[in-house]
Amino acid sequence: MRPAGKWILVAAAIVLFGLARLPFERSLDRLQRMSGLRSGIPEISLREQIGQLSYAAALGGFRSLVAAFLWIDAHTAWEQTAWGRMAGIFQSVTALQPRSLVYWDLSSWHMAWNAAIAARENPREPSELLRIRAEREYKRLGRDFLERGIANNPDSYLLHERLGVMLRDKFSDHAGAAAAFDRAAQMDGAPAYVKRMAAYELAQVPGREKEAYDRLRAIYDLGESERLPRVITLLGELETKLGVPQHQRIQDPAPAD
C-alpha cells in the first residue's frame, strides 16, 4: 500500500473512533462542564483555524491531544520567528484547552515579551512608528491572553500574578499591577511574596503613599524574615515623603546599593 493510502486509513480510523466515542464523550463533557472542569463544545469558528480533521478529532474527545500537537507547531513557528502564525496557533490552543493555565501563561509571555521585542527591533521595518505600533499590538495581545485566561480560571492565583508583572513591566500601570497582585494574594495557594509586590507597586502610585506605607509597615512588623532590602528602602523613602516623626520610623539602616 502506498504511504498516502496508509495515512488516509489512519486518519479515517481516528475519525471513526472519535465518532464512536462521541455519545460517551458528550455525556462526560456535560458532567465536567457542570463541575467546572471543562468549557463547552469547540466553537464552529475554530474549525477554520485548526482544519477539518483536527476539528473532528477535537469534537470526538481528542481536544488535549490536538492542543498538544498545535503547541508543537507553535514551537516551530517560534523557531522561525513567525509571530503572526504563532499568535493564531495560540488562539486555537487556548480555545481547545481553556482550563490549562500553562497555555494562557506561555501564550501571553511569548506575545508581550518575545514578539513585542522582536517587532520593536525588527531590522526589516525602517519605520520606527510602525515598529512601535507593532510592539504595542503584541503587548496588547499578550495582555488579552492573560485576561481571557483569568476569565476562564478566575480562582487561580498564577494568572493574576502574571498580569501584575505584565502591567508593571510592559504598561507601567502601577495601580493596575497592585490590584492584580492583590487579587492573586486572595487566591488559595498564593505565595506570600505577592502581598509585598502589591505594596511595592502601590508605593509608585501618586496619592496612595500613605496606604503603601501602612501596608509595608505591617509587612515589616511581621518580623525579621519579612524585612527585605526593598521593604526597608521603600519604607525609608515613604517616611521621608510623608514626614513620619523620627521616633516612629524604622531603625534599620538603608541597604547598601
Side-chain angles (χ1 to χ4, degrees):
M1 183 178 294
R2 295 181 178 178
K6 292 182 179 178
W7 281 114
I8 291 173
L9 284 177
V10 170
I14 291 175
V15 172
L16 290 174
F17 181 67
L19 292 175
R21 291 181 50 180
L22 196 54
F24 170 75
E25 290 289 343
R26 282 178 172 170
S27 176
L28 181 61
D29 183 78
R30 185 171 59 254
L31 291 174
Q32 290 182 329
R33 277 186 284 122
M34 291 173 63
S35 304
L37 297 175
R38 180 182 288 194
S39 62
I41 294 173
E43 296 181 3
I44 299 300
S45 60
L46 184 62
R47 180 187 302 173
E48 298 178 358
Q49 300 176 32
I50 65 176
Q52 184 70 28
L53 181 59
S54 295
Y55 185 82
L59 199 62
F62 294 100
R63 297 172 64 153
S64 60
L65 187 61
V66 173
F69 277 116
L70 288 173
W71 193 253
I72 294 172
D73 193 28
H75 184 80
T76 302
W78 175 50
E79 292 178 329
Q80 298 169 346
T81 64
W83 306 113
R85 186 164 72 86
M86 194 173 173
I89 296 171
F90 287 159
Q91 299 287 6
S92 301
V93 172
T94 51
L96 286 166
Q97 292 288 284
R99 299 287 291 178
S100 173
L101 300 181
V102 68
Y103 286 146
W104 292 111
D105 180 21
L106 291 179
S107 296
S108 69
W109 174 70
H110 275 299
M111 292 296 105
W113 269 266
N114 295 334
I117 292 174
R120 181 69 177 84
E121 300 177 352
N122 184 3
R124 292 170 295 185
E125 177 51 71
S127 170
E128 183 179 10
L129 181 64
L130 293 181
R131 292 201 307 272
I132 292 174
R133 183 180 296 177
E135 178 190 24
R136 288 175 178 168
E137 181 61 22
Y138 279 120
K139 289 197 294 187
R140 185 203 61 76
L141 190 56
R143 178 175 178 171
D144 181 65
F145 272 114
L146 277 185
E147 291 177 339
R148 287 189 293 120
I150 289 171
N152 282 280
N153 305 275
D155 298 329
S156 169
Y157 82 85
L158 179 69
L159 298 182
H160 290 287
E161 187 261 352
R162 297 291 195 267
L163 181 60
V165 172
M166 182 181 292
L167 293 175
R168 180 193 66 190
D169 294 347
K170 292 296 180 180
F171 294 89
S172 299
D173 180 0
H174 300 294
F181 288 134
D182 274 338
R183 286 192 293 273
Q186 296 169 7
M187 305 297 167
D188 290 340
Y193 66 78
V194 292
K195 287 185 178 179
R196 290 198 303 273
M197 294 172 78
Y200 294 163
E201 293 309 301
L202 210 55
Q204 312 301 318
V205 182
R208 300 185 70 178
E209 292 87 354
K210 181 62 168 62
E211 183 183 353
Y213 177 75
D214 290 342
R215 288 198 190 191
L216 287 167
R217 186 58 192 257
I219 292 171
Y220 175 88
D221 289 340
L222 289 175
E224 291 292 335
S225 63
E226 296 293 332
R227 296 174 184 176
L228 303 179
R230 183 85 185 276
V231 173
I232 293 172
T233 298
L234 285 177
L235 278 173
E237 293 174 357
L238 291 170
E239 285 172 340
T240 300
K241 184 179 293 184
L242 296 170
V244 176
Q246 194 64 39
H247 69 279
Q248 295 180 4
R249 299 187 180 191
I250 62 173
Q251 301 304 310
D252 302 74
D257 292 335

